[in-house]
Amino acid sequence: MSENKIPYKIYLSEDEMPRAWYNLRSDMKNKPAPLLNPGTGKPMTAGELEAVFCKELVAQELDGTTAYFEIPQEIRDFYKMYRPSPLVRAYCLEEKLQTPAKIYYKFEGNNTSGSHKLNSAIAQAYYAKKQGLKGVTTETGAGQWGTALSMACGYLGLDCKVFMVKCSYEQKPFRREVMKVYGSSVTPSPSETTAVGRKILAEFPGTSGSLGCAISEAVETAVSTPGYRYVLGSVLNQVMLHQSIIGLESKIALDKYGVKPDIIIGCAGGGSNLGGLIAPFMGEKLRGEADYRFIAVEPASCPSFTRGKYAYDFCDTGMVCPLSKMYTLGSGFMPSADHAGGLRFHGMSSTLSQLYADGYMEAIAVNQTDVFQMAEEFARVEGILPAPESSHAILAAVNEAKKCKETGEAKTILFGLTGTGYFDLVAYEKFHNGEMHSVIPSDEDIAKSLAQLPKVE
Amino acid sequence: MSENKIPYKIYLSEDEMPRAWYNLRSDMKNKPAPLLNPGTGKPMTAGELEAVFCKELVAQELDGTTAYFEIPQEIRDFYKMYRPSPLVRAYCLEEKLQTPAKIYYKFEGNNTSGSHKLNSAIAQAYYAKKQGLKGVTTETGAGQWGTALSMACGYLGLDCKVFMVKCSYEQKPFRREVMKVYGSSVTPSPSETTAVGRKILAEFPGTSGSLGCAISEAVETAVSTPGYRYVLGSVLNQVMLHQSIIGLESKIALDKYGVKPDIIIGCAGGGSNLGGLIAPFMGEKLRGEADYRFIAVEPASCPSFTRGKYAYDFCDTGMVCPLSKMYTLGSGFMPSADHAGGLRFHGMSSTLSQLYADGYMEAIAVNQTDVFQMAEEFARVEGILPAPESSHAILAAVNEAKKCKETGEAKTILFGLTGTGYFDLVAYEKFHNGEMHSVIPSDEDIAKSLAQLPKVE
């Protein structure tokens, strides 16, 4: 290794850190389809969206042409507390694999929320504060987003009401407690605090909740409480914009050393990490300045890209949110209860969906047990215990590196290591004990939920 | 803040990272007292120690004169995966406190073990591997050391047998699972696998275990299993040596910016973090090249420096280990069951004990509820959820910064943030729910356990 001048970890200096987010849509010829009002079938207006979301975030959401949005100084100061995240050269993994490939990963787990979600949480909380709001509401499933938002709100002194899917609230008490440390109120969903919660509890008294229900409760609370708005941690264009910090930092770090990746790999749930990581590279590809292979990796148990349909659908199970055109499994789709961790959203970012439909990106689906096997191998070699979500990308990267070993090609692979698995140890324990399965939905199951897609002209 | 040129975080480049550990004893006129054989009352010989510990580690343990030990390349490569740790300028905390003080902390939590323990774990595992051993044994209480050693052994392909205090094994299943991910076997202690374990189980069938018992089981297993040795995560001179990497990196980072700390603060349990952080600064003080105030912060529930006696004592409750001259509360001392987290060892590093006895260092004891209150405030301001242990140092640093506000002095304060509290959320929950207390041992309790000190000529 000694002949190699690239360090194990590349950190940017504060001066090198990006001062603006990059809006990938600005370089897309085919823009992502607009959000539609489910009542009228017409594109959502800024006014309609501002009843639910903060004003400046709505402007970012609807702007498909501005290439760069300056990152406000206050957000850049917050970023400096946990960013730049390291771009890691995986020397130990390369040696273990005996591959000629050069493997890099952008590690977003070095903060208490344990993932990249904090990049958008601080932005959304900042604009809420700037608008003079008292607080925000949101939902959380596995808990990464809720934790990130709690940290951002705790820092800014903004109230934060989190609706946490009841089964997670009970099974992940540590996630719940972290949110409380940062001052958030955490309510198990469904709850008696909202009309929709009371309705669901009356119909299904023993329900353990769902993300869709928690979204509905968070939205209802936001629109019915003066001084509050609703915020969301993935899927939306504004989130892709904030997460572009991941790709921008990666590109600056690689450019410093004259490294150009051949393949860029990210796990894909709602698309926030993948969209952020690939943004500046995809921009170059769209502008014809460079070429890269992009690979989205999704769980075989929730395969929206690889087995879903590109169509307008509701973003939530409760069918109260706007319609988004995306690769979807149907808003009623629920991954198997055996599926651990995140990446369980039935749809996909509309930006990434359009790029995938236009052939700019590949997608693959991988099995859960293979993912955990790889996570464990990675932990022992590279030290970091990865989140289950991130481990989807590790698996795909290692498979590409193994192909290089066969062909002798020294390709450069970049993947996103979105976070740590410190709060996912129940899933790791299941894997050890041989109690974890890879449950793949049947064609019938998917057809059934796709049959419920809304009719859009 | 914009006029200030010091970044939020100072990272050293690989070229700037230390290539040797610093042996603080080499600059001490009064060397720490030698370990004694409890049977003969004579200093332990290398041969005696090598039955339990690895050969090269014994050499490090007994060497009070060599100033620097070169860090082997393999260990430096491992360090590069998670080091340098950031030296953080706590701008946000300073602003919150409105203090003229300049506050820095060295953050050792950015690795999966979540603490500084990994610095010595990889060194000890490396020398065991180099000696051709098959594996190592150890004990763990709260779990930080066991996790760190598991990571190091997983990386080197060395077997690792961890005896985990039974109540922790049951109450901290996540810590246990992390160790298993890295390939360690984890046995709840007391166990049926050792003679001492069987004896204790026969006498106290329902016991939930103790650190002293787990040490005895680990030592017995090491000496009775061919190809195994015992390793320990604190207290020993060799551990202080490896942990000097903390202070060396801190000093290089501060020197780059021409910053000289006035006060250096660390939490103190067995002394591994405190000893490592202060090492190069204390060296300057011993050599008369510079002056610093050093403050050791210990829990009021386990106050070895502030209420213990400087005397020879057993390092373990089971009285099987050598005798060490140190500030001790007596090897039978047990902190209250209300005491959360680490810093529960009855004694203190013999090196630090000698320095304290010679007046080179101050020590204070702080209450647990004050520590958790400060931990929560720190988390909201600086983002990081700190370990309970580390929060002792935060509290002392903030108190010094508040004094600066009163006097108007712009002192520079450096403290050690040894780790994260991600696996300590049961304790945080107790604190939130008002179920946490600060239990201070009575003078009678301490006198009672001190009455059991061994007689040494």
Side-chain angles (χ1 to χ4, degrees), chain B residues 49 72 162 315 340 364 370 424 441 455:
Chain B
L49 287 168
V162 180
C315 288
I364 58 171
D370 297 335
D424 299 289
K455 300 277 172 280

Side-chain angles (χ1 to χ4, degrees), chain B residues 310-338:
Chain B
Y310 189 36
Y312 265 107
D313 196 5
F314 288 96
C315 288
D316 62 324
T317 328
M319 302 188 182
V320 300
C321 289
L323 300 175
S324 176
K325 191 176 179 193
M326 57 187 177
Y327 280 86
T328 179
L329 296 161
S331 67
F333 180 84
M334 293 274 282
S336 156
D338 273 315

Side-chain angles (χ1 to χ4, degrees), chain A residues 8-9 14 181-182 380 383, chain B residues 8 14 83 181-182 380 383:
Chain A
Y8 279 61
K9 286 175 292 169
E14 286 184 4
V181 167
Y182 287 94
R380 293 188 192 181
Chain B
Y8 279 61
E14 287 185 3
R83 307 198 68 82
V181 167
Y182 288 93
R380 293 187 191 181

Side-chain angles (χ1 to χ4, degrees), chain B residues 329-333 442-453:
Chain B
L329 296 161
S331 67
F333 180 84
S442 68
D443 289 340
E444 291 71 28
D445 284 344
I446 292 178
K448 204 169 141 191
S449 65
L450 283 177
Q452 304 300 317
L453 287 181

